Amino acid sequence: MFNIEDFQKSRQGTFGKELHHFAQLDSTNRVAEELARKGSAEGVLVVTDEQTTGRGRKGNAWYSPPDENLYFTLILRPFEARLHHVPFIAGLAIVRMLSRISIEAELKWPNDVLAGGKKISGLLIQTSIEQNRLQYALLGCGLNVNTHSFPGQLMEKATSIRILKGDGVLREHVLASLLFEFEQLYGRIQEMSWSDLCRQVESASSMVRNCEVVVQENGKTYQGITHGLDPFGGLIVQLPEGRRIFYAGDIQSCRKN
Ligand code: BTN
């Protein structure tokens, strides 16, 4: 069971000060949505020890066994013009937090973090827009912490801190450290230009520039060379027939040029 006292002791900053913890939930995003609708402030956090229907991108399920990993959603109320910075900032925060515990990780566009070539974390951003105005954004994050063995084919694609370090770590400390990294970057969201952020993203990702990729989008496969991010976070890919910008999709494979 997640130890709230331990978490609050190691937490710095303000994000996570108001914490809603549950032993089991369908999805932390669902509960965070209810709270955000009722007016919960930026920084309010929903954490659970287990999700019965953890949501991933594109309707996928997120593997959420009890007491092993981190499953949480943070309520944010960013300026709409900066919304597309949020997933990149969150990915960078995860990479930085992992580097503090000597795990080398990298961003995989759009919303994944890989370590040792396998997925260690995934982000799901959900937004609410009413009367043309952004009401809130929910930053849902799954981070594999203490799982030592994933079921079936997931073992080939997923990894965890425990697998990489050979030892378990306290989820409470990992979450406190991650939130702090995120809060520091998020606190600079207005002053940090898009090009600054892109530079940081590029240095944390071998795939965003000069990388041969295969992109799957809407059942179609495209192969080309990446050329960085466009001003909205889309991935620019030089295809044989010309440049194309992807706003969603899966990079299936990648080789550095
Ligand atoms: C992905 O890579 O497909 C995104 C996975 C996001 C999973 C997290 S776990 C906490 C939060 N609640 C959910 O139901 N999903 C996100």
Side-chain angles (χ1 to χ4, degrees):
M1 172 86 72
F2 188 86
N3 186 321
I4 298 173
E5 210 177 283
D6 222 4
F7 166 73
Q8 292 297 3
K9 268 192 211 145
S10 28
R11 187 183 55 75
Q12 304 170 71
T14 59
F15 285 3
K17 195 168 176 185
E18 182 176 332
L19 172 79
H20 297 256
H21 170 261
F22 300 83
Q24 189 194 64
L25 281 181
D26 49 352
S27 158
T28 53
N29 270 38
R30 204 254 315 148
V31 173
E33 186 174 6
E34 278 178 20
L35 289 167
R37 280 222 182 110
K38 287 184 196 149
S40 276
E42 177 157 275
V44 170
L45 186 67
V46 178
V47 183
T48 189
D49 288 316
E50 177 185 11
Q51 292 185 125
T52 50
T53 49
R55 305 176 197 163
R57 285 193 304 120
K58 297 180 297 172
N60 290 329
W62 184 258
Y63 179 64
S64 312
D67 300 318
E68 293 183 9
N69 303 318
L70 282 169
Y71 323 109
F72 66 89
T73 303
L74 185 66
I75 296 174
L76 297 171
R77 298 188 182 272
F79 287 107
E80 198 166 343
R82 290 292 204 248
L83 178 62
H84 61 292
H85 293 214
V86 171
F88 295 105
I89 283 178
L92 283 172
I94 296 168
V95 170
R96 286 185 184 183
M97 178 279 294
L98 289 171
S99 115
R100 286 189 186 279
I101 50 171
S102 308
I103 291 178
E104 215 180 292
E106 76 158 317
L107 298 178
K108 182 186 174 210
W109 182 91
N111 287 335
D112 294 346
V113 179
L114 306 184
K118 295 182 178 181
K119 185 157 165 173
I120 192 162
S121 180
L123 298 163
L124 185 69
I125 318 280
Q126 203 180 311
T127 55
S128 166
I129 294 168
E130 276 168 36
Q131 287 157 354
N132 283 331
R133 287 191 57 190
L134 177 68
Q135 304 298 312
Y136 56 80
L138 305 174
L139 175 66
C141 176
L143 174 67
N144 299 327
V145 181
N146 286 323
T147 289
H148 61 90
S149 174
F150 291 90
Q153 293 191 330
L154 210 51
M155 198 66 204
E156 290 156 32
K157 298 187 209 156
T159 191
S160 70
I161 294 178
R162 178 166 172 186
I163 291 172
L164 292 162
K165 288 195 75 74
D167 223 344
V169 285
L170 287 176
R171 290 177 298 158
E172 295 80 358
H173 294 178
V174 172
L175 182 56
S177 162
L178 170 52
L179 280 183
F180 188 58
E181 294 291 348
F182 178 75
E183 193 170 346
Q184 282 187 313
L185 284 164
Y186 188 79
R188 293 176 49 226
I189 199 167
Q190 282 300 108
E191 74 203 44
M192 198 196 300
S193 68
W194 178 245
S195 53
D196 270 358
L197 182 57
C198 282
R199 263 192 293 278
Q200 294 193 45
V201 169
E202 283 176 24
S203 71
S205 169
S206 62
M207 303 177 203
V208 167
R209 193 175 284 279
N210 265 344
C211 182
E212 193 176 324
V213 291
V214 175
V215 187
Q216 307 268 7
E217 187 202 47
N218 298 330
K220 286 191 184 157
T221 303
Y222 304 84
Q223 184 157 5
I225 310 285
T226 56
H227 278 268
L229 300 173
D230 86 339
F232 305 101
L235 184 68
I236 305 166
V237 182
Q238 181 70 48
L239 303 173
E241 63 270 28
R243 278 192 175 192
R244 189 183 168 112
I245 301 173
F246 294 90
Y247 291 101
D250 253 336
I251 304 182
Q252 292 295 321
S253 66
C254 161
R255 177 172 62 75
K256 192 85 179 145
N257 264 357

